[in-house]
Amino acid sequence: MISVEVWSDVACPWCYLGKRRLEKAIDRFDGAVSITWKSFQLDPSIPHGEHTPHAEALAKKFNAPPEQIQQMNQRLIDLGAEEGLEYNFDSYIQANTRDAHRVLHMAQEHGLGDAMKDRLLRAQFTEGAVVDDAAVLASLAAEVGLDAEAVRAMLATDEYDAAVQADIDEAAALGASGVPFFVFDRAFAVSGAQPTEVFETALQRSKEHAEAAVLEA
């Protein structure tokens, strides 16, 4: 079993693209693979409850004119379409993603991490969901099999917050300054939403590395 740990943020469009490309590589791979989704926040300073349209947030971040923002978005729209993803930046709302990561940790404990991660990303990038809203998060979690009331109750506490912070600290320790960041069997790392072939190579190298270790034992 190849273990893949993925640090990413719900607010990161490249993370959505990287997720899909990794999944395509796994589909083509001759072997078993497990994925663990790790938390990362591109901008943890966003106050909870502060919601900013995507274009406005990017213009402020990069001090760029609307035409440049449109070009940046169109590139992602085109790349996403090639992978079957729909980016709708006109409806995208920037919000703090800490609670979304806590819900993801809860989902992973119930074996629903992949489904929850995908649902959060689609909600953010296609549907324009506000991902720091407890009611929205509970509804999304219910769609993948979690109990909505249990999610609401969890969000009213600080449960899983330490786990989210531990992931963020671990990323820093590994030298990951941005996401997506993929670690294969703690032996190989891939940074960024690389082409599917790069992930295929990483999986194959991990498999060969594991087989060599067994022979040497």
Side-chain angles (χ1 to χ4, degrees):
M1 175 77 75
I2 304 299
S3 171
V4 184
E5 297 163 285
V6 187
W7 277 263
S8 66
D9 193 5
V10 176
C12 167
W14 292 101
C15 294
Y16 200 8
L17 189 68
K19 179 181 187 295
R20 190 63 80 243
R21 288 174 171 176
L22 172 64
E23 289 168 342
K24 287 177 67 175
I26 290 173
D27 286 343
R28 300 173 185 175
F29 179 64
D30 181 22
V33 180
S34 68
I35 302 178
T36 301
W37 297 103
K38 298 277 194 171
S39 301
F40 191 97
Q41 285 193 282
L42 290 173
D43 189 354
S45 69
I46 299 172
H48 189 279
E50 180 178 289
H51 306 140
T52 308
H54 178 68
E56 181 182 329
L58 274 191
K60 180 179 179 181
K61 179 178 180 179
F62 296 110
N63 192 26
E67 301 79 29
Q68 185 177 343
I69 300 301
Q70 178 59 36
Q71 290 175 359
M72 293 167 61
N73 287 342
Q74 191 60 51
R75 182 186 178 204
L76 273 163
I77 289 169
D78 294 341
L79 289 171
E82 293 175 4
E83 306 296 342
L85 303 178
E86 180 185 353
Y87 287 106
N88 184 1
F89 290 112
D90 288 339
S91 65
Y92 176 110
I93 299 296
Q94 177 182 273
N96 190 291
T97 59
R98 190 85 173 196
D99 283 350
H101 285 295
R102 293 203 290 137
V103 171
L104 180 58
H105 269 277
M106 184 179 187
Q108 289 195 127
E109 284 195 354
H110 291 80
L112 298 169
D114 286 348
M116 190 74 253
K117 183 69 172 183
D118 206 68
R119 189 65 190 93
L120 287 166
L121 288 165
R122 180 159 56 90
Q124 173 79 89
F125 292 109
T126 304
E127 300 167 1
V130 178
V131 296
D132 70 349
D133 184 287
V136 169
L137 291 172
S139 177
L140 295 174
E143 288 184 31
V144 304
L146 289 176
D147 180 80
E149 289 307 312
V151 173
R152 283 177 177 271
M154 181 275 289
L155 289 172
T157 71
D158 63 355
E159 191 174 0
Y160 299 107
D161 194 71
V164 172
Q165 189 59 50
D167 284 352
I168 293 170
D169 293 344
E170 190 174 20
L174 290 171
S177 57
V179 287
F181 185 70
F182 307 81
V183 176
F184 296 76
D185 276 348
R186 287 294 167 119
F188 308 102
V190 172
S191 181
Q194 299 296 332
T196 298
E197 292 74 19
V198 173
F199 294 117
E200 289 184 85
T201 298
L203 288 168
Q204 187 59 38
R205 288 181 65 193
S206 297
K207 181 179 181 180
E208 293 169 356
H209 183 266
E211 290 172 346
V214 169
L215 292 174
E216 293 173 2

